[in-house]
């Protein structure tokens, strides 16, 4: 198992290295930041000075090597717009996005897993069919429209929850968090539910499909023949065999929640990384764009590696294959 994990870790490093090339080249062929950084009325000498200051006069390969050198030291350069380290700007917004993504994922698991289990165990009941019909809405409804409807109903009409912002926060582990205060939690509910809607439907349908696939298996029939209680069969034999696909989906979807929460953050004015990256793209702030993309690359590669480790803990067959 150790050899297999080391091999996967090496593969992950090569994937990250390959992505540095793709991200760097892709970002550097988009627009010309000089047009934004320099006043149109500036003379040629001032223009050349700014270009040299940001290293934009260097060959592309040399810029890439300097980028790699900075990457190893956690230095992505200073933002063209804010004049501050790009990584620092992203890390400032990271707690807000993490809080939103974790809350959305918890909502999706708490709602989707039990409903999917129920729909899989009792597929012919009317309630199960209603649950599956409702899950289609989760896939079909656009995120931005659902967000606007949530604001219209719960904030404007009922006035139960606030419309935007993060609300009051409290410090924990050196960062500010909304869920630690009542006001912040009220601001968190709507965007978290909006972000969780699609993931809830995904987990629900995956759980239902897995239950219906596992129930006819011989080991479930044998467990019933031994006289085991239905509760033990469900929670030990059925759910245990659902864990690998669920771990895969939950792990990857958590990464997508962080990376693609831009729409929800924009609708609810949530001060996370999504709004920052949109502003940076509009302003061609290359250091911030590159730092954000590389953080997402490391996030997804790291999540895949963690999922591989979880496989070895959840399924003995994976450990045997690794040893072989």
């Amino acid at each position: 198992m150790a050899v297999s994990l080391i091999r996967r870790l090496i593969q992950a490093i090569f994937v990250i290295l390959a992505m540095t090339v793709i991200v760097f080249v892709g970002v550097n062929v988009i627009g010309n930041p000089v047009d934004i950084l320099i006043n149109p009325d500036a003379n040629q000498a001032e223009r050349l000075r700014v270009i040299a200051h940001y290293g934009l006069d260097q060959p592309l390969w040399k810029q890439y090597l300097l980028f790699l050198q900075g990457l190893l030291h956690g230095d992505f350069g200073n933002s063209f717009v804010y004049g501050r380290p790009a990584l620092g700007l992203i890390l400032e917004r990271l707690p807000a996005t993490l809080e939103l993504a974790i809350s959305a994922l918890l909502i999706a698991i708490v709602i989707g897993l039990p409903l999917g289990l129920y729909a899989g165990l009792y597929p012919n009941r009317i309630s199960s069919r209603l649950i599956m019909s409702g899950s289609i809405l989760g896939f079909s409804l656009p995120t931005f429209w659902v967000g606007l409807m949530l604001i219209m109903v719960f904030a404007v009409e009922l006035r139960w929850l606030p419309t935007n912002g993060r609300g009051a926060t409290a410090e924990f582990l050196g960062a500010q968090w909304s869920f630690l205060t009542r006001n912040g939690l009220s601001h968190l509910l709507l965007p978290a539910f909006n972000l969780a809607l699609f993931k809830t439907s995904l987990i629900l349908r995956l759980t239902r499909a897995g239950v219906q696939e596992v129930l006819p298996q011989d080991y479930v029939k044998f467990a019933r023949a031994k006289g085991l209680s239905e509760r033990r069969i469900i929670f030990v034999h059925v759910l245990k065999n659902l864990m690998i696909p669920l771990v895969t989906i939950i792990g990857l979807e958590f990464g997508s929640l962080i990376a693609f929460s831009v729409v929800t953050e924009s609708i609810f004015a949530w001060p996370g990384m999504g709004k920052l990256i949109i502003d940076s793209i509009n302003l061609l702030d290359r250091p911030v764009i590159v730092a954000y993309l590389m953080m997402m690359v490391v996030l997804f590669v790291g999540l895949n590696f963690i999922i591989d480790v979880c496989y070895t803990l959840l399924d003995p067959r994976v450990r045997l294959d690794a040893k072989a």
Side-chain angles (χ1 to χ4, degrees):
M1 185 174 67
V3 174
S4 176
L5 292 179
I6 292 173
R7 183 170 63 249
R8 290 172 185 174
L9 181 60
I10 295 174
Q11 291 173 351
I13 293 173
F14 276 105
V15 169
I16 293 175
L17 185 62
M19 287 305 300
T20 61
V21 178
I22 296 173
V23 169
F24 182 82
V25 173
V27 171
N28 276 271
V29 298
I30 300 175
N32 185 5
V34 175
D35 296 333
I36 296 175
L37 294 171
I38 302 177
N39 191 307
D41 299 330
N43 56 36
Q44 187 64 19
E46 179 67 16
R47 187 180 183 88
L48 293 175
R49 186 190 68 79
V50 174
I51 292 175
H53 174 74
Y54 287 103
L56 300 175
D57 58 338
Q58 301 291 334
L60 194 61
W61 63 268
K62 191 170 184 179
Q63 292 185 44
Y64 173 70
L65 292 179
L66 292 173
F67 164 71
L68 277 185
Q69 181 181 356
L71 181 64
L72 294 175
H73 294 87
D75 181 15
F76 291 88
N78 289 335
S79 165
F80 294 160
V81 177
Y82 299 96
R84 297 169 52 197
L87 186 60
L89 285 171
I90 293 175
L91 292 179
E92 283 181 4
R93 308 288 187 97
L94 180 61
T97 299
L98 275 178
E99 183 176 43
L100 182 61
I102 292 173
S103 301
L105 188 63
L106 289 176
I107 292 173
I109 294 173
V110 169
I111 297 176
L113 187 59
L115 291 181
L117 186 62
Y118 177 84
L121 292 172
Y122 311 105
N124 296 322
R125 291 185 179 180
I126 296 177
S127 55
S128 297
R129 294 176 181 176
L130 290 176
I131 289 172
M132 297 311 297
S133 299
S135 69
I136 297 176
L137 294 177
F139 285 115
S140 306
L141 296 177
T143 302
F144 70 89
W145 183 84
V146 174
L148 293 175
M149 290 301 101
L150 290 175
I151 292 174
M152 182 74 69
V153 174
F154 293 100
V156 178
E157 296 295 334
L158 299 177
R159 298 185 179 181
W160 289 353
L161 297 170
T163 58
N164 55 54
R166 200 177 175 196
T169 60
E171 185 175 350
F172 179 66
L173 298 177
Q176 297 295 324
W177 305 93
S178 298
F179 73 92
L180 296 176
T181 67
R182 183 175 181 179
N183 179 261
L185 188 60
S186 65
H187 282 77
L188 178 63
L189 288 177
L190 285 184
F193 183 80
N194 183 56
L195 192 60
L197 185 61
F198 178 85
K199 310 305 179 186
T200 301
S201 300
L202 184 63
I203 293 176
L204 190 158
R205 298 184 75 89
L206 179 66
T207 304
R208 176 184 180 272
V211 169
Q212 291 191 322
E213 182 180 350
V214 169
L215 284 179
Q217 299 297 322
D218 291 337
Y219 57 83
V220 176
K221 295 178 180 178
F222 182 68
R224 286 201 172 105
K226 289 198 311 181
L228 296 180
S229 66
E230 194 68 18
R231 181 175 180 178
R232 180 173 176 81
I233 292 173
I234 293 172
F235 286 97
V236 176
H237 296 280
V238 176
L239 280 181
K240 185 176 180 181
N241 285 277
L242 290 176
M243 289 309 297
I244 285 186
L246 284 178
V247 165
T248 304
I249 292 298
I250 290 173
L252 295 179
E253 291 305 315
F254 177 66
S256 69
L257 284 172
I258 296 176
F260 306 122
S261 61
V262 177
V263 175
T264 297
E265 289 187 3
S266 300
I267 293 173
F268 292 93
W270 189 261
M273 295 189 299
K275 189 175 185 304
L276 175 65
I277 191 62
I278 289 297
D279 294 340
S280 299
I281 291 173
N282 291 331
L283 298 173
L284 291 181
D285 196 348
R286 285 182 181 175
V288 175
I289 297 172
V290 171
Y292 176 82
L293 292 176
M294 286 309 306
M295 180 177 288
M296 293 303 105
V297 168
V298 173
L299 172 67
F300 276 99
V301 172
L303 284 173
N304 275 281
F305 180 75
I306 293 173
I307 290 170
D308 287 340
V309 175
C310 291
Y311 282 171
T312 63
L313 299 175
L314 293 171
D315 192 344
R317 293 170 297 182
V318 176
R319 291 199 294 269
L320 291 175
D321 291 342
K323 291 178 181 179

